[in-house]
Amino acid sequence: MIPAAFDYVRPASLEEACHVLATTGEEAKVLAGGQSLLPLLRLRLAYPSVLVDLGRLPELHGVQDRGDHVFIGALTTHDEVMRSPVIREHVPLVALATATVADPAVRHRGTFGGSLAHADPAGDLPAVALALGCVFVTRMTGGQREIPASDFFVDYLESALDPGEVLVGVQVPKLGAGWGFHYEKFHRTAQAWAIVGVAAAVRTEGGAISEARVGLTNMGSTPVRASAVEAALRGAPSPAPDGNGASNGGHDPVRDACGEAADDTSPPADLHATSDYRRHLARVLTYRAVRAAST
Amino acid sequence: MTEQIDAGMVARRIAESDRLGSPDPGREIGRARRRKEDARLITGRTLWTDDIQLPGMLYVAFLRSPMAHARITRVDTSAARNQPGVAAVYTGRDFAAEQGSLPCAWPVTEDIVIPDHPPMAVEEVRYVGEAVACVVATDRYKAADALEAIEVDYEPLEPVLDMTEALAEGSPKVHEAGNRSFTWKFSGGDVEAAFRDAPVVIERTYVQQRLIPTAMEPRAVVATTDGTAFTLYSSTQIPHVLRVMLALTTGIPEHLLRVVAPDVGGGFGSKLQVTAEEVLCLLLTRRLGKPVKWTESRSEGNLTVHHGRDQLQRITLAAERDGRIRGMRADLLADMGAYLMLVTPGIPILGAFMYNGIYKMDAYDFTCTGVFTTKMPTDAYRGAGRPEATFAIERAVDELAHELGMDPVEVRRRNWITHQEFPYTTIAGLTYDSGNYEAATDRALALFGYDKLRAEQADRRDRRDPVQLGIGVSTYTEMCGLAPSRVLGSLSYGAGGWEHATVRLLPTGKVEVVTGTSPHGQGHETAWSQIAADAMGVPFEDVAVLHGDTTVAPKGMDTYGSRSLVIGGVAVLQACEKVKDRARKLAAHMLEASPDDIEFSGGTFSVRGTSAGKTIQELALAAFAAHDLPEGFEPRLDADVTFDPQNFSFPHGTHLCAVEVDTETGMTKIRSYVAVDDVGNVVNPLIVEGQVHGGIAQGIGQALFEEAVYDSEGNLLTTTMTDYLIPSAADLPEFVTDRTETPATSNALGVKGVGEAGTIAATPAVVNAVVDALRPYGVRDVRMPCSPERIWRAISESGGAAAGWAGPTEAEGGER
Ligand SMILES: Cc1cc2nc3c(=O)[nH]c(=O)nc-3n(C[C@H](O)[C@H](O)[C@H](O)COP(=O)(O)OP(=O)(O)OC[C@H]3O[C@@H](n4cnc5c(N)ncnc54)[C@H](O)[C@@H]3O)c2cc1C
């Protein structure tokens, strides 16, 4: 649990950060809250030669209401995110999911951007970013990019960020009226990672579901968009708040739709769950998330 | 829900009245004092072993085997030696001549196999994590870096991971002598007769999974020498036992070896050990002439702190149709791991006398075989043998109740020893001195709202509610206060079970208590102060308690097995009485009266019927000045007592647990938990409550969360706290606790011990509740920990797939 030796730099500007990264290349690693990176160093699973600490860059920090979207600076901590009035009002799914991340200590250090850049499919926020169709704003020496969430998560712990590219912040679209949200996290102890998580945004109109967006946590090597469920939900009567579809097993179109949640997924198997059990959970939890988001 | 709130209120009111002070004003014993050690502990003014810095200190790191079983064919340390800051690199071979073998002090049978256990492996490694080499460097970072430069070649051997397979013909061997360490048997009554024509026979197999003790403070060792004498600081529960054992193991003469347990942050049995790291740090300081320090990381600890439990239990009960138990058999395989450590083989044997629990029966038969595997050795873990026994009998009694269609509480009533029957000698040969199972159970049932919960359960079953309610009962007893030395001797244990105390009245009238117990979170400084304050008639604040250093407290047997209060606390009381006997003589002399006419009350010795008196403070000063003492009276008011108990103590209680099991996901939520414990007289209700809370949490940990998992190659998979789950406060319900107080008759304080009670009681209460919730699905057992997936599979496999959702597919069945 002792990291190998590394150098540490703390740039005073984003420019400088990009410069340092560009000159050190793949040997360098960006350090945000350190809640994912430091465990890797301590277990000697990563050996960067330089850590570039973004901690003193104010332009990466904070939450802004920008009309059709909310911009969340990469360095904004989980704790700040879940308490932000702007986020709670306009993009509540982000706050709901963030409140389930780890424990207060981790939430005071870990950052929104770090969680996404780390691209851990077991993290709670990637599935939310995917479901909401967020846009990732980045900087590198001599340029910047906007990467849609659908392109951002490439593989297990691999994002579309190039070495030398810094995530500046994320645009989270406001979905507008008629939408309901829920994040359903299934975990064994309070501060544990999700065995499976489901992020659901559902729009209901005239007693029926007009649109649904469903992102799945820990159901593959990247976060997964449950497109089959989304398609099947369109037009389904919105579930009755008091109806207990789960126990009567009767015909319930929403439930049938959620039965497709595990389609085309290849969930991992680990100490806490087999893949098969994860598939089962995805179905049950998607139903719960969609019901909760519809009411 | 209303009865839950009522129960909470009752408990709070009881707690409140405790906190208002002693039921007997002016008495310290019985007062819910806050612990005097806590302000210091929680504000960081502590000295953990890792805080110790000595001039010139070097840091030790161990290279650990990545193989479960292999021959070491080559170790090349040359590159590591040349790394910056490295003072030395050693392999097992470098210490082969002097490192000896780690001790096992409990050879339970005459023919037991006790393999050689070198602190650092020399020729063969037998578990992942076994030390093969060490680096000593100027800081811990350099030490860790140099480890990576050591090259070791291994010739793989077959791992041995399953106890049953280990005993089968042709199994690869962990040790030359084979995989069976011992078979230990006990028999009471005529078991054949009890089973012959028995109307009901219940036979079950239970798996006590392997657990990893997770003390808040990881282990750490500092060793230093002045060239002649040695001091070892260690995060240990047993400084005294350790000193003796280290002297025997290393050849350092006992009188030149001081062992210190500084502040120690929990142990739960895991620091009741003589570890390889302790021995090697001592040898390293001897060889290098410099102080050395080793502190484990959490992952290193998960690999190499001795593990707990890991038994396979076959339990058979014979009973009448009216529920009366005739007899039982317990047949165990106990996983020793790769070697026998300090008391490894004795752990299952401690349970041997507890399988009959609180019940009367005509016959009982126990067999235990200790088995070697290529895993970390097992040893004491909170409860040590007794939780396993209690789990088995309490689970089996529930199965009997189900078989007979009886209420589980009723079956227990028909079998338990009634309060009029004490003292009662059980079929396992123990004499339970006192108890009142009826009272504890009745109180628990009332606090729990048992009947209402049963009604709700019936309703949920009728409605086929996807969330089912389960109710678990656990009526436990345990043998505590380890232990009468003659009993330990008869069980082939290597040492006695006495405890030592010294009480010194200082010249200014303050009191110093020196105890041989070694607290590491139990609050002895507070409780012992309460005992001494009452006995000596001095204020609580005037008592200091010294412990945990063999120079300061040279005699002791340390802290484990719920023994400290029952033996060590009683020793303190007796030492106070001895000091008072001396003080009485001095008072009589000063007051010119006969000692027989001197009374003691409220800290003053006075002549009966007069107002003439001397306070204990005045006597203290008089003894110090020594100007005018009785003829032949040595000028001191202090005393030593070494107390050896005549019997164990037998706390008992009734724990009730209600769980809600989500049958769609398999998730268990504890809805309410009631614990009514009888730990005899209570010295400090707040400490008792704390011990019960922590104990229950740990018992719930085994039931629902914790398991050390090895893969098919023998790699430990649960090396971090992401994988090895322990519950936190957020995962636990509010515990409703209460007590009945039936004093122990075997000691002057009437106390029984409370350190392990919660852990022993909670595990079967929770698992009984989980199984009870799943009865409608035909489920009759869920293996611990009762994880959501295991529960989901149990439901699915019994054909009861949760309404509307498919069960597991064939392809991916299998045990998890
Ligand atoms: C005990 C514990 C429990 C946890 N439980 C959960 C949980 O339940 N759910 C959950 O979602 N997460 C959990 N986490 C992870 C936590 O959310 C982390 O905060 C998060 O994964 C990483 O954020 P960070 O700011 O700490 O990033 P760091 O650890 O500093 O960095 C993580 C990775 O992202 C890169 N990076 C960070 N910021 C940027 C940037 N601006 N631009 C480019 N690259 C960047 C780093 O180079 C590194 O590779 C847990 C962590 C711990 C320690």
Side-chain angles (χ1 to χ4, degrees):
Chain A
M1 291 303 269
I2 293 181
F6 54 81
D7 286 333
Y8 171 87
V9 281
R10 196 177 62 208
S13 70
L14 187 50
E15 242 89 294
E16 188 191 340
C18 292
H19 177 74
V20 176
L21 287 167
T23 46
T24 18
E26 304 222 8
E27 293 283 273
K29 262 280 176 199
V30 165
L31 175 68
Q35 298 303 292
S36 292
L37 185 54
L38 293 191
L40 291 179
L41 299 188
R42 288 157 60 96
L43 292 167
R44 298 199 170 206
L45 294 172
Y47 291 80
S49 61
V50 187
L51 289 193
V52 182
D53 185 351
L54 304 183
R56 296 289 164 94
L57 305 183
E59 59 265 59
L60 266 57
H61 211 101
V63 178
Q64 294 151 29
D65 185 344
R66 294 190 178 166
D68 65 341
H69 69 265
V70 173
F71 183 82
I72 305 177
L75 260 281
T76 314
T77 65
H78 296 313
D79 189 68
E80 288 162 345
V81 165
M82 63 188 262
R83 291 175 201 286
S84 157
V86 172
I87 291 174
R88 290 162 75 117
E89 184 182 346
H90 296 295
V91 287
L93 185 56
V94 173
L96 291 172
T98 302
T100 71
V101 171
D103 52 41
V106 171
R107 291 197 296 263
H108 275 81
R109 289 228 166 246
T111 65
F112 187 67
S115 269
L116 296 166
H118 194 54
D120 187 340
D124 296 297
L125 302 176
V128 171
L130 194 63
L132 294 179
C134 292
V135 175
F136 292 71
V137 180
T138 74
R139 273 281 285 279
M140 68 290 285
T141 39
Q144 58 183 58
R145 286 209 279 172
E146 292 192 354
I147 309 170
S150 52
D151 293 341
F152 188 79
F153 303 105
V154 175
D155 204 345
Y156 180 70
L157 301 188
E158 191 185 332
S159 76
L161 293 174
D162 290 328
E165 189 169 10
V166 174
L167 178 62
V168 175
V170 178
Q171 300 171 351
V172 188
K174 297 182 185 173
L175 292 184
W179 286 86
F181 303 95
H182 187 75
Y183 186 70
E184 182 77 21
K185 177 169 178 170
F186 189 81
H187 49 163
R188 284 177 64 190
T189 56
Q191 80 282 32
W193 294 80
I195 292 174
V196 172
V198 181
V202 178
R203 185 155 117 211
T204 43
E205 264 174 314
I209 294 175
S210 56
E211 193 182 347
R213 295 162 170 232
V214 178
L216 304 178
T217 297
N218 217 3
M219 285 295 290
S221 59
T222 61
V224 175
R225 186 95 183 244
S227 318
V229 175
E230 293 177 0
L233 281 174
R234 204 164 297 130
S238 51
D242 55 345
N244 198 342
S247 68
N248 63 31
H251 185 69
D252 174 350
V254 172
R255 188 190 174 95
D256 290 349
C258 295
E260 299 179 34
D263 293 7
D264 302 322
T265 61
S266 39
D270 57 30
L271 281 175
H272 303 308
T274 57
S275 306
D276 202 17
Y277 177 54
R278 279 202 164 84
R279 284 190 202 97
H280 166 76
L281 285 177
R283 294 187 275 263
V284 173
L285 301 176
T286 299
Y287 182 54
R288 290 182 184 183
V290 168
R291 284 171 54 88
S294 313
T295 50
Chain B
M1 291 304 279
T2 47
E3 74 275 10
Q4 219 190 326
I5 291 161
D6 292 350
M9 273 168 47
V10 172
R12 264 190 291 281
R13 221 165 291 143
I14 291 163
E16 228 163 73
S17 68
D18 283 345
R19 275 172 199 114
L20 290 177
S22 156
D24 176 358
R27 266 193 88 203
E28 277 296 333
I29 290 182
R31 265 182 85 165
R33 276 203 174 267
R34 293 205 184 177
R35 304 197 315 178
K36 55 157 79 172
E37 38 287 76
D38 285 352
R40 192 175 65 77
L41 287 170
I42 63 177
T43 54
R45 283 170 288 181
T46 39
L47 186 74
W48 311 108
T49 299
D50 188 57
D51 294 330
I52 295 169
Q53 296 295 346
L54 299 172
M57 191 152 78
L58 298 171
Y59 296 77
V60 183
F62 291 98
L63 183 70
R64 300 189 175 277
S65 169
M67 314 281 290
H69 197 191
R71 201 160 288 128
I72 301 170
T73 53
R74 186 184 71 104
V75 188
D76 184 349
T77 59
S78 50
R81 270 177 226 276
N82 293 328
Q83 296 233 347
V86 171
V89 183
Y90 297 114
T91 68
R93 206 163 284 286
D94 296 323
F95 276 107
E98 58 181 297
Q99 67 178 350
S101 181
L102 292 174
C104 171
W106 204 334
V108 293
T109 61
E110 302 226 320
D111 62 352
I112 185 172
V113 174
I114 302 184
D116 196 39
H117 186 185
M120 223 165 10
V122 180
E123 289 180 345
E124 204 168 306
V125 288
R126 295 186 176 85
Y127 64 92
V128 170
E130 189 166 359
V132 292
C134 65
V135 172
V136 190
T138 51
D139 68 45
R140 50 186 314 206
Y141 299 90
K142 293 188 178 110
D145 288 344
L147 284 187
E148 298 199 331
I150 301 175
E151 286 174 32
V152 185
D153 290 345
Y154 295 99
E155 180 189 315
L157 300 168
E158 287 281 308
V160 179
L161 300 167
D162 178 273
M163 287 194 277
T164 314
E165 288 169 20
L167 293 177
E169 197 80 26
S171 162
K173 289 180 180 177
V174 182
H175 296 281
E176 213 26 62
N179 297 335
R180 181 191 305 267
S181 175
F182 64 86
T183 297
W184 192 95
K185 290 174 189 288
F186 175 89
S187 203
D190 186 345
V191 177
E192 293 299 322
F195 276 84
R196 200 174 306 129
D197 311 321
V200 186
V201 173
I202 300 285
E203 183 171 350
R204 294 287 187 274
T205 299
Y206 296 120
V207 179
Q208 294 286 330
Q209 80 271 33
R210 188 174 264 260
L211 300 177
I212 303 179
T214 312
M216 214 186 285
E217 183 208 13
R219 291 175 304 155
V221 183
V222 169
T224 184
T225 179
D226 62 6
T228 308
F230 292 80
T231 302
L232 182 95
Y233 303 86
S234 181
S235 174
T236 180
Q237 295 173 230
I238 53 160
H240 300 94
V241 174
L242 188 57
R243 181 194 195 199
V244 176
M245 288 297 169
L246 286 174
L248 293 171
T249 307
T250 63
I252 293 171
E254 189 181 350
H255 64 296
L256 298 179
L257 177 60
R258 171 185 174 205
V259 175
V260 184
D263 284 321
V264 178
F268 311 112
S270 72
K271 296 172 183 172
L272 162 53
Q273 193 53 272
V274 178
T275 66
E277 294 84 2
E278 287 163 335
V279 170
L280 290 166
C281 283
L282 212 41
L283 299 182
L284 286 168
T285 201
R286 177 161 76 182
R287 190 172 286 197
L288 298 168
K290 295 213 169 162
V292 298
K293 183 198 281 186
W294 168 78
T295 303
E296 73 184 354
S297 71
R298 183 63 68 182
S299 299
E300 191 178 21
N302 277 17
L303 279 171
T304 62
V305 78
H306 73 237
H307 292 173
R309 315 276 195 267
D310 208 344
Q311 298 177 2
L312 197 62
Q313 307 168 299
R314 206 173 78 227
I315 304 302
T316 322
L317 279 187
E320 307 290 353
R321 289 228 72 90
D322 66 2
R324 202 183 62 77
I325 300 168
R326 288 176 161 201
M328 84 178 288
R329 290 198 182 100
D331 198 349
L332 265 62
L333 296 183
D335 193 338
M336 306 284 99
Y339 302 96
L340 302 184
M341 295 194 72
L342 190 60
V343 291
T344 302
I347 300 305
I349 310 311
L350 275 176
F353 306 95
M354 288 276 105
Y355 276 82
N356 50 309
I358 63 170
Y359 309 112
K360 296 176 279 192
M361 55 185 78
D362 302 330
Y364 165 59
D365 203 269
F366 174 94
T367 308
C368 173
T369 296
V371 185
F372 291 115
T373 59
T374 52
K375 297 182 189 172
M376 181 65 208
T378 57
D379 207 319
Y381 178 59
R382 202 168 188 175
R386 292 153 291 155
E388 297 92 311
T390 304
F391 181 88
I393 181 68
E394 290 303 297
R395 284 285 297 112
V397 167
D398 258 34
E399 294 298 307
L400 175 63
H402 178 70
E403 175 76 24
L404 296 171
M406 284 173 66
D407 185 281
V409 178
E410 183 53 32
V411 174
R412 286 168 168 84
R413 279 189 200 283
R414 291 193 186 178
N415 285 289
W416 69 37
I417 302 156
T418 61
H419 70 275
Q420 303 93 335
E421 292 173 288
F422 289 95
Y424 183 91
T425 300
T426 71
I427 192 67
L430 294 176
T431 300
Y432 295 177
D433 62 332
S434 71
N436 191 333
Y437 309 140
E438 303 93 313
T441 303
D442 291 342
R443 183 90 59 99
L445 291 172
L447 287 170
F448 191 62
Y450 186 79
D451 296 336
K452 259 188 170 172
L453 283 167
R454 281 282 180 221
E456 182 186 330
Q457 176 182 52
D459 177 54
R460 287 192 192 231
R461 285 180 179 178
D462 286 347
R463 285 193 287 117
R464 296 172 176 271
D465 193 325
V467 178
Q468 286 290 322
L469 185 70
I471 295 167
V473 184
S474 168
T475 49
Y476 76 98
T477 187
E478 53 165 332
M479 55 192 255
C480 280
L482 306 181
S485 298
R486 69 185 160 79
V487 176
L488 291 175
S490 72
L491 293 173
S492 315
Y493 180 60
W498 47 263
E499 195 46 85
H500 189 79
T502 302
V503 170
R504 293 194 284 258
L505 191 54
L506 304 178
T508 57
K510 310 296 184 195
V511 176
E512 231 167 34
V513 172
V514 182
T515 179
T517 65
S518 196
H520 42 283
Q522 292 84 350
H524 295 178
E525 290 178 28
T526 302
W528 285 203
S529 295
Q530 289 179 274
I531 293 168
D534 270 1
M536 303 295 291
V538 300
F540 173 81
E541 293 74 19
D542 284 3
V543 185
V545 178
L546 310 179
H547 58 80
D549 178 338
T550 58
T551 300
V552 174
K555 279 193 77 175
M557 272 300 174
D558 307 315
T559 288
Y560 45 85
S562 304
R563 69 187 304 275
S564 294
L565 177 61
V566 186
I567 311 177
V570 171
V572 170
L573 178 70
Q574 293 184 348
C576 288
E577 295 303 333
K578 269 191 165 178
V579 172
K580 265 169 27 192
D581 285 346
R582 293 187 64 78
R584 180 188 308 274
K585 287 197 187 97
L586 180 56
H589 174 76
M590 291 170 74
L591 296 165
E592 296 178 351
S594 152
D596 296 340
D597 291 334
I598 300 289
E599 300 175 319
F600 179 75
S601 166
T604 301
F605 291 89
S606 46
V607 183
R608 189 167 302 134
T610 74
S611 60
K614 290 283 174 196
T615 66
I616 198 133
Q617 291 81 4
E618 289 169 324
L619 294 167
L621 195 61
F624 174 70
H627 296 163
D628 178 20
L629 301 177
E631 194 56 35
F633 189 94
E634 283 177 41
R636 61 183 177 88
L637 288 177
D638 49 42
D640 286 276
V641 163
T642 306
F643 172 63
D644 200 336
Q646 290 303 303
N647 192 2
F648 297 94
S649 60
F650 299 96
H652 70 82
T654 297
H655 287 213
L656 299 171
C657 176
V659 299
E660 289 177 359
V661 177
D662 180 339
T663 58
E664 293 182 341
T665 62
M667 183 61 115
T668 297
K669 187 179 135 218
I670 297 180
R671 173 156 135 192
S672 59
Y673 195 103
V674 169
V676 177
D677 294 290
D678 193 322
V679 299
N681 290 338
V682 169
V683 173
N684 184 325
L686 209 53
I687 291 180
V688 165
E689 183 132 339
Q691 289 289 325
V692 169
H693 276 230
I696 295 171
Q698 229 157 339
I700 291 174
Q702 176 171 14
L704 297 181
F705 300 108
E706 300 185 37
E707 180 168 32
V709 182
Y710 283 87
D711 70 11
S712 58
E713 320 254 85
N715 298 302
L716 183 70
L717 300 179
T718 47
T719 55
T720 73
M721 293 182 82
T722 311
D723 304 311
Y724 189 83
L725 296 183
I726 60 168
S728 70
D731 303 303
L732 300 167
E734 188 170 335
F735 302 132
V736 175
T737 61
D738 196 3
R739 286 188 303 277
T740 55
E741 291 187 16
T742 313
T745 60
S746 54
N747 67 64
L749 286 170
V751 296
K752 302 180 184 174
V754 68
E756 294 154 306
T759 311
I760 290 171
T763 309
V766 176
V767 177
N768 276 339
V770 168
V771 174
D772 186 53
L774 301 179
R775 293 272 184 215
Y777 298 87
V779 172
R780 62 177 213 186
D781 193 30
V782 179
R783 224 183 105 171
M784 293 189 291
C786 302
S787 67
E789 177 157 3
R790 281 203 179 126
I791 289 173
W792 172 68
R793 284 185 187 279
I795 294 171
S796 310
E797 278 153 21
S798 63
W805 300 107
T809 58
E810 286 301 313
E812 243 204 335
E815 174 55 33
R816 278 214 58 83

